[in-house]
Amino acid sequence: METDKDIAGSTTVYYNSACPVCDAGIRDQRGRMQTCKINWVDVHTDPDAVKEINSELETVRERLHVRNANGELLTGEQALAALWSQTSGRRWLAWLTLRLSFLTRPLYNFIARHLYRWNRRRGHW
């Protein structure tokens, strides 16, 4: 029987469910991508998974990471765009995010940094 981690050549999403905002976003995205071959890896429940992408746990807690089917590692707004590009009804959002990266990158980084700090202060991990 095939498990999520056994699917070769698919996209892997590394996210942090301890962040309530991130968890809600991932739950919504998972619902929209049920027919896609996506490996969903929660680094809160599986912190050693960050070794798969040669990253630090705190880095993945702060920013979404996606390893696409080609093995390329994407972070932040590029990771979101990679997911949206595979999501019916959201492909336009991926296109817009990538075309306006001069705006979306600093905006994502600002939100991610402050959300990370907020979660730390609240003791979510």
PDB file of all heavy atoms in Angstrom, residues 88-112:
ATOM      1  N   SER A  88      -7.114  24.281  -8.921  1.00  0.00           N
ATOM      2  CA  SER A  88      -8.167  24.835  -9.757  1.00  0.00           C
ATOM      3  C   SER A  88      -8.755  26.073  -9.085  1.00  0.00           C
ATOM      4  O   SER A  88      -9.030  26.074  -7.883  1.00  0.00           O
ATOM      5  CB  SER A  88      -9.250  23.782  -9.967  1.00  0.00           C
ATOM      6  OG  SER A  88     -10.281  24.299 -10.757  1.00  0.00           O
ATOM      7  N   GLY A  89      -8.918  27.119  -9.843  1.00  0.00           N
ATOM      8  CA  GLY A  89      -9.482  28.357  -9.322  1.00  0.00           C
ATOM      9  C   GLY A  89      -8.475  29.280  -8.667  1.00  0.00           C
ATOM     10  O   GLY A  89      -8.810  30.405  -8.298  1.00  0.00           O
ATOM     11  N   ARG A  90      -7.239  28.825  -8.530  1.00  0.00           N
ATOM     12  CA  ARG A  90      -6.215  29.665  -7.899  1.00  0.00           C
ATOM     13  C   ARG A  90      -4.983  29.850  -8.786  1.00  0.00           C
ATOM     14  O   ARG A  90      -4.006  30.453  -8.358  1.00  0.00           O
ATOM     15  CB  ARG A  90      -5.791  29.076  -6.559  1.00  0.00           C
ATOM     16  CG  ARG A  90      -6.890  29.183  -5.520  1.00  0.00           C
ATOM     17  CD  ARG A  90      -6.346  29.162  -4.158  1.00  0.00           C
ATOM     18  NE  ARG A  90      -7.389  29.493  -3.207  1.00  0.00           N
ATOM     19  CZ  ARG A  90      -7.261  29.345  -1.916  1.00  0.00           C
ATOM     20  NH1 ARG A  90      -6.153  28.860  -1.416  1.00  0.00           N
ATOM     21  NH2 ARG A  90      -8.242  29.685  -1.117  1.00  0.00           N
ATOM     22  N   ARG A  91      -5.026  29.318  -9.982  1.00  0.00           N
ATOM     23  CA  ARG A  91      -3.871  29.459 -10.876  1.00  0.00           C
ATOM     24  C   ARG A  91      -3.575  30.923 -11.177  1.00  0.00           C
ATOM     25  O   ARG A  91      -2.426  31.309 -11.304  1.00  0.00           O
ATOM     26  CB  ARG A  91      -4.088  28.642 -12.140  1.00  0.00           C
ATOM     27  CG  ARG A  91      -4.012  27.152 -11.869  1.00  0.00           C
ATOM     28  CD  ARG A  91      -4.215  26.295 -13.114  1.00  0.00           C
ATOM     29  NE  ARG A  91      -4.126  24.900 -12.762  1.00  0.00           N
ATOM     30  CZ  ARG A  91      -5.174  24.130 -12.472  1.00  0.00           C
ATOM     31  NH1 ARG A  91      -6.390  24.640 -12.495  1.00  0.00           N
ATOM     32  NH2 ARG A  91      -5.017  22.872 -12.150  1.00  0.00           N
ATOM     33  N   TRP A  92      -4.609  31.726 -11.261  1.00  0.00           N
ATOM     34  CA  TRP A  92      -4.428  33.159 -11.498  1.00  0.00           C
ATOM     35  C   TRP A  92      -3.647  33.798 -10.350  1.00  0.00           C
ATOM     36  O   TRP A  92      -2.844  34.706 -10.562  1.00  0.00           O
ATOM     37  CB  TRP A  92      -5.783  33.855 -11.680  1.00  0.00           C
ATOM     38  CG  TRP A  92      -6.595  33.910 -10.426  1.00  0.00           C
ATOM     39  CD1 TRP A  92      -7.477  32.976  -9.981  1.00  0.00           C
ATOM     40  CD2 TRP A  92      -6.567  34.932  -9.434  1.00  0.00           C
ATOM     41  NE1 TRP A  92      -8.020  33.353  -8.772  1.00  0.00           N
ATOM     42  CE2 TRP A  92      -7.478  34.550  -8.403  1.00  0.00           C
ATOM     43  CE3 TRP A  92      -5.873  36.127  -9.297  1.00  0.00           C
ATOM     44  CZ2 TRP A  92      -7.703  35.330  -7.272  1.00  0.00           C
ATOM     45  CZ3 TRP A  92      -6.099  36.901  -8.165  1.00  0.00           C
ATOM     46  CH2 TRP A  92      -7.007  36.499  -7.174  1.00  0.00           C
ATOM     47  N   LEU A  93      -3.878  33.307  -9.128  1.00  0.00           N
ATOM     48  CA  LEU A  93      -3.193  33.839  -7.961  1.00  0.00           C
ATOM     49  C   LEU A  93      -1.705  33.488  -8.005  1.00  0.00           C
ATOM     50  O   LEU A  93      -0.858  34.312  -7.649  1.00  0.00           O
ATOM     51  CB  LEU A  93      -3.846  33.292  -6.693  1.00  0.00           C
ATOM     52  CG  LEU A  93      -3.531  33.956  -5.372  1.00  0.00           C
ATOM     53  CD1 LEU A  93      -3.715  35.456  -5.430  1.00  0.00           C
ATOM     54  CD2 LEU A  93      -4.410  33.353  -4.281  1.00  0.00           C
ATOM     55  N   ALA A  94      -1.389  32.281  -8.471  1.00  0.00           N
ATOM     56  CA  ALA A  94       0.017  31.882  -8.642  1.00  0.00           C
ATOM     57  C   ALA A  94       0.683  32.776  -9.682  1.00  0.00           C
ATOM     58  O   ALA A  94       1.792  33.277  -9.461  1.00  0.00           O
ATOM     59  CB  ALA A  94       0.102  30.420  -9.077  1.00  0.00           C
ATOM     60  N   TRP A  95       0.011  32.975 -10.789  1.00  0.00           N
ATOM     61  CA  TRP A  95       0.550  33.819 -11.859  1.00  0.00           C
ATOM     62  C   TRP A  95       0.815  35.232 -11.336  1.00  0.00           C
ATOM     63  O   TRP A  95       1.892  35.789 -11.532  1.00  0.00           O
ATOM     64  CB  TRP A  95      -0.440  33.856 -13.036  1.00  0.00           C
ATOM     65  CG  TRP A  95       0.023  34.671 -14.189  1.00  0.00           C
ATOM     66  CD1 TRP A  95       0.797  34.259 -15.238  1.00  0.00           C
ATOM     67  CD2 TRP A  95      -0.250  36.059 -14.416  1.00  0.00           C
ATOM     68  NE1 TRP A  95       1.021  35.300 -16.094  1.00  0.00           N
ATOM     69  CE2 TRP A  95       0.387  36.414 -15.614  1.00  0.00           C
ATOM     70  CE3 TRP A  95      -0.968  37.031 -13.730  1.00  0.00           C
ATOM     71  CZ2 TRP A  95       0.325  37.707 -16.137  1.00  0.00           C
ATOM     72  CZ3 TRP A  95      -1.021  38.310 -14.249  1.00  0.00           C
ATOM     73  CH2 TRP A  95      -0.385  38.627 -15.437  1.00  0.00           C
ATOM     74  N   LEU A  96      -0.153  35.792 -10.632  1.00  0.00           N
ATOM     75  CA  LEU A  96      -0.031  37.151 -10.097  1.00  0.00           C
ATOM     76  C   LEU A  96       1.089  37.237  -9.065  1.00  0.00           C
ATOM     77  O   LEU A  96       1.881  38.182  -9.068  1.00  0.00           O
ATOM     78  CB  LEU A  96      -1.364  37.580  -9.484  1.00  0.00           C
ATOM     79  CG  LEU A  96      -1.508  39.046  -9.117  1.00  0.00           C
ATOM     80  CD1 LEU A  96      -1.431  39.910 -10.362  1.00  0.00           C
ATOM     81  CD2 LEU A  96      -2.823  39.266  -8.403  1.00  0.00           C
ATOM     82  N   THR A  97       1.169  36.268  -8.184  1.00  0.00           N
ATOM     83  CA  THR A  97       2.202  36.244  -7.141  1.00  0.00           C
ATOM     84  C   THR A  97       3.590  36.249  -7.749  1.00  0.00           C
ATOM     85  O   THR A  97       4.478  36.987  -7.302  1.00  0.00           O
ATOM     86  CB  THR A  97       2.019  35.003  -6.235  1.00  0.00           C
ATOM     87  OG1 THR A  97       0.746  35.095  -5.599  1.00  0.00           O
ATOM     88  CG2 THR A  97       3.111  34.908  -5.191  1.00  0.00           C
ATOM     89  N   LEU A  98       3.796  35.443  -8.774  1.00  0.00           N
ATOM     90  CA  LEU A  98       5.117  35.371  -9.403  1.00  0.00           C
ATOM     91  C   LEU A  98       5.433  36.622 -10.220  1.00  0.00           C
ATOM     92  O   LEU A  98       6.577  37.080 -10.233  1.00  0.00           O
ATOM     93  CB  LEU A  98       5.210  34.117 -10.272  1.00  0.00           C
ATOM     94  CG  LEU A  98       5.142  32.809  -9.488  1.00  0.00           C
ATOM     95  CD1 LEU A  98       5.083  31.625 -10.436  1.00  0.00           C
ATOM     96  CD2 LEU A  98       6.303  32.684  -8.514  1.00  0.00           C
ATOM     97  N   ARG A  99       4.438  37.179 -10.888  1.00  0.00           N
ATOM     98  CA  ARG A  99       4.667  38.391 -11.697  1.00  0.00           C
ATOM     99  C   ARG A  99       4.932  39.620 -10.832  1.00  0.00           C
ATOM    100  O   ARG A  99       5.643  40.525 -11.235  1.00  0.00           O
ATOM    101  CB  ARG A  99       3.472  38.680 -12.615  1.00  0.00           C
ATOM    102  CG  ARG A  99       3.178  37.651 -13.674  1.00  0.00           C
ATOM    103  CD  ARG A  99       4.375  37.284 -14.522  1.00  0.00           C
ATOM    104  NE  ARG A  99       4.126  36.261 -15.502  1.00  0.00           N
ATOM    105  CZ  ARG A  99       4.088  34.945 -15.300  1.00  0.00           C
ATOM    106  NH1 ARG A  99       4.223  34.463 -14.092  1.00  0.00           N
ATOM    107  NH2 ARG A  99       3.893  34.107 -16.282  1.00  0.00           N
ATOM    108  N   LEU A 100       4.361  39.619  -9.642  1.00  0.00           N
ATOM    109  CA  LEU A 100       4.517  40.770  -8.743  1.00  0.00           C
ATOM    110  C   LEU A 100       5.426  40.436  -7.562  1.00  0.00           C
ATOM    111  O   LEU A 100       5.252  40.957  -6.463  1.00  0.00           O
ATOM    112  CB  LEU A 100       3.145  41.234  -8.235  1.00  0.00           C
ATOM    113  CG  LEU A 100       2.164  41.724  -9.288  1.00  0.00           C
ATOM    114  CD1 LEU A 100       0.835  42.085  -8.662  1.00  0.00           C
ATOM    115  CD2 LEU A 100       2.740  42.903 -10.058  1.00  0.00           C
ATOM    116  N   SER A 101       6.409  39.585  -7.796  1.00  0.00           N
ATOM    117  CA  SER A 101       7.280  39.129  -6.701  1.00  0.00           C
ATOM    118  C   SER A 101       8.012  40.282  -6.018  1.00  0.00           C
ATOM    119  O   SER A 101       8.356  40.168  -4.841  1.00  0.00           O
ATOM    120  CB  SER A 101       8.269  38.080  -7.199  1.00  0.00           C
ATOM    121  OG  SER A 101       9.138  38.638  -8.153  1.00  0.00           O
ATOM    122  N   PHE A 102       8.217  41.378  -6.717  1.00  0.00           N
ATOM    123  CA  PHE A 102       8.851  42.535  -6.087  1.00  0.00           C
ATOM    124  C   PHE A 102       7.975  43.091  -4.965  1.00  0.00           C
ATOM    125  O   PHE A 102       8.479  43.753  -4.056  1.00  0.00           O
ATOM    126  CB  PHE A 102       9.169  43.625  -7.118  1.00  0.00           C
ATOM    127  CG  PHE A 102       7.954  44.241  -7.757  1.00  0.00           C
ATOM    128  CD1 PHE A 102       7.408  45.412  -7.256  1.00  0.00           C
ATOM    129  CD2 PHE A 102       7.365  43.646  -8.873  1.00  0.00           C
ATOM    130  CE1 PHE A 102       6.290  45.984  -7.842  1.00  0.00           C
ATOM    131  CE2 PHE A 102       6.249  44.211  -9.474  1.00  0.00           C
ATOM    132  CZ  PHE A 102       5.704  45.378  -8.950  1.00  0.00           C
ATOM    133  N   LEU A 103       6.684  42.779  -4.986  1.00  0.00           N
ATOM    134  CA  LEU A 103       5.765  43.154  -3.904  1.00  0.00           C
ATOM    135  C   LEU A 103       5.435  41.972  -2.996  1.00  0.00           C
ATOM    136  O   LEU A 103       5.413  42.114  -1.766  1.00  0.00           O
ATOM    137  CB  LEU A 103       4.449  43.686  -4.481  1.00  0.00           C
ATOM    138  CG  LEU A 103       4.497  45.006  -5.227  1.00  0.00           C
ATOM    139  CD1 LEU A 103       3.142  45.303  -5.857  1.00  0.00           C
ATOM    140  CD2 LEU A 103       4.894  46.125  -4.288  1.00  0.00           C
ATOM    141  N   THR A 104       5.171  40.815  -3.613  1.00  0.00           N
ATOM    142  CA  THR A 104       4.710  39.673  -2.829  1.00  0.00           C
ATOM    143  C   THR A 104       5.800  39.084  -1.947  1.00  0.00           C
ATOM    144  O   THR A 104       5.499  38.608  -0.846  1.00  0.00           O
ATOM    145  CB  THR A 104       4.109  38.577  -3.734  1.00  0.00           C
ATOM    146  OG1 THR A 104       5.096  38.139  -4.683  1.00  0.00           O
ATOM    147  CG2 THR A 104       2.882  39.091  -4.463  1.00  0.00           C
ATOM    148  N   ARG A 105       7.044  39.110  -2.400  1.00  0.00           N
ATOM    149  CA  ARG A 105       8.134  38.561  -1.573  1.00  0.00           C
ATOM    150  C   ARG A 105       8.310  39.339  -0.277  1.00  0.00           C
ATOM    151  O   ARG A 105       8.283  38.752   0.799  1.00  0.00           O
ATOM    152  CB  ARG A 105       9.438  38.488  -2.359  1.00  0.00           C
ATOM    153  CG  ARG A 105      10.598  37.926  -1.508  1.00  0.00           C
ATOM    154  CD  ARG A 105      11.814  37.611  -2.344  1.00  0.00           C
ATOM    155  NE  ARG A 105      11.474  36.539  -3.259  1.00  0.00           N
ATOM    156  CZ  ARG A 105      11.709  36.580  -4.573  1.00  0.00           C
ATOM    157  NH1 ARG A 105      12.299  37.604  -5.124  1.00  0.00           N
ATOM    158  NH2 ARG A 105      11.356  35.567  -5.340  1.00  0.00           N
ATOM    159  N   PRO A 106       8.491  40.674  -0.338  1.00  0.00           N
ATOM    160  CA  PRO A 106       8.637  41.399   0.931  1.00  0.00           C
ATOM    161  C   PRO A 106       7.376  41.338   1.796  1.00  0.00           C
ATOM    162  O   PRO A 106       7.474  41.276   3.033  1.00  0.00           O
ATOM    163  CB  PRO A 106       8.961  42.829   0.522  1.00  0.00           C
ATOM    164  CG  PRO A 106       8.818  42.910  -0.936  1.00  0.00           C
ATOM    165  CD  PRO A 106       8.703  41.537  -1.489  1.00  0.00           C
ATOM    166  N   LEU A 107       6.204  41.301   1.179  1.00  0.00           N
ATOM    167  CA  LEU A 107       4.974  41.197   1.954  1.00  0.00           C
ATOM    168  C   LEU A 107       4.900  39.849   2.670  1.00  0.00           C
ATOM    169  O   LEU A 107       4.607  39.794   3.870  1.00  0.00           O
ATOM    170  CB  LEU A 107       3.752  41.377   1.048  1.00  0.00           C
ATOM    171  CG  LEU A 107       2.394  41.264   1.732  1.00  0.00           C
ATOM    172  CD1 LEU A 107       2.243  42.336   2.815  1.00  0.00           C
ATOM    173  CD2 LEU A 107       1.278  41.372   0.710  1.00  0.00           C
ATOM    174  N   TYR A 108       5.188  38.765   1.953  1.00  0.00           N
ATOM    175  CA  TYR A 108       5.187  37.443   2.579  1.00  0.00           C
ATOM    176  C   TYR A 108       6.209  37.397   3.715  1.00  0.00           C
ATOM    177  O   TYR A 108       5.905  36.925   4.806  1.00  0.00           O
ATOM    178  CB  TYR A 108       5.496  36.337   1.563  1.00  0.00           C
ATOM    179  CG  TYR A 108       5.509  34.963   2.197  1.00  0.00           C
ATOM    180  CD1 TYR A 108       4.375  34.170   2.184  1.00  0.00           C
ATOM    181  CD2 TYR A 108       6.641  34.480   2.841  1.00  0.00           C
ATOM    182  CE1 TYR A 108       4.364  32.925   2.795  1.00  0.00           C
ATOM    183  CE2 TYR A 108       6.639  33.243   3.457  1.00  0.00           C
ATOM    184  CZ  TYR A 108       5.506  32.468   3.429  1.00  0.00           C
ATOM    185  OH  TYR A 108       5.514  31.245   4.039  1.00  0.00           O
ATOM    186  N   ASN A 109       7.419  37.881   3.457  1.00  0.00           N
ATOM    187  CA  ASN A 109       8.478  37.844   4.476  1.00  0.00           C
ATOM    188  C   ASN A 109       8.096  38.648   5.717  1.00  0.00           C
ATOM    189  O   ASN A 109       8.364  38.227   6.846  1.00  0.00           O
ATOM    190  CB  ASN A 109       9.799  38.336   3.901  1.00  0.00           C
ATOM    191  CG  ASN A 109      10.388  37.354   2.920  1.00  0.00           C
ATOM    192  OD1 ASN A 109      10.086  36.160   2.932  1.00  0.00           O
ATOM    193  ND2 ASN A 109      11.234  37.846   2.041  1.00  0.00           N
ATOM    194  N   PHE A 110       7.470  39.794   5.525  1.00  0.00           N
ATOM    195  CA  PHE A 110       7.031  40.625   6.643  1.00  0.00           C
ATOM    196  C   PHE A 110       5.989  39.881   7.485  1.00  0.00           C
ATOM    197  O   PHE A 110       6.100  39.792   8.707  1.00  0.00           O
ATOM    198  CB  PHE A 110       6.449  41.948   6.115  1.00  0.00           C
ATOM    199  CG  PHE A 110       5.876  42.821   7.183  1.00  0.00           C
ATOM    200  CD1 PHE A 110       6.694  43.635   7.948  1.00  0.00           C
ATOM    201  CD2 PHE A 110       4.508  42.818   7.433  1.00  0.00           C
ATOM    202  CE1 PHE A 110       6.163  44.442   8.949  1.00  0.00           C
ATOM    203  CE2 PHE A 110       3.967  43.617   8.424  1.00  0.00           C
ATOM    204  CZ  PHE A 110       4.796  44.432   9.188  1.00  0.00           C
ATOM    205  N   ILE A 111       4.992  39.326   6.808  1.00  0.00           N
ATOM    206  CA  ILE A 111       3.931  38.609   7.517  1.00  0.00           C
ATOM    207  C   ILE A 111       4.498  37.374   8.210  1.00  0.00           C
ATOM    208  O   ILE A 111       4.189  37.107   9.376  1.00  0.00           O
ATOM    209  CB  ILE A 111       2.787  38.242   6.552  1.00  0.00           C
ATOM    210  CG1 ILE A 111       2.067  39.521   6.097  1.00  0.00           C
ATOM    211  CG2 ILE A 111       1.812  37.267   7.205  1.00  0.00           C
ATOM    212  CD1 ILE A 111       1.094  39.325   4.961  1.00  0.00           C
ATOM    213  N   ALA A 112       5.341  36.619   7.510  1.00  0.00           N
ATOM    214  CA  ALA A 112       5.916  35.390   8.081  1.00  0.00           C
ATOM    215  C   ALA A 112       6.748  35.696   9.318  1.00  0.00           C
ATOM    216  O   ALA A 112       6.645  35.002  10.336  1.00  0.00           O
ATOM    217  CB  ALA A 112       6.760  34.665   7.038  1.00  0.00           C
TER     218      ALA A 112
END
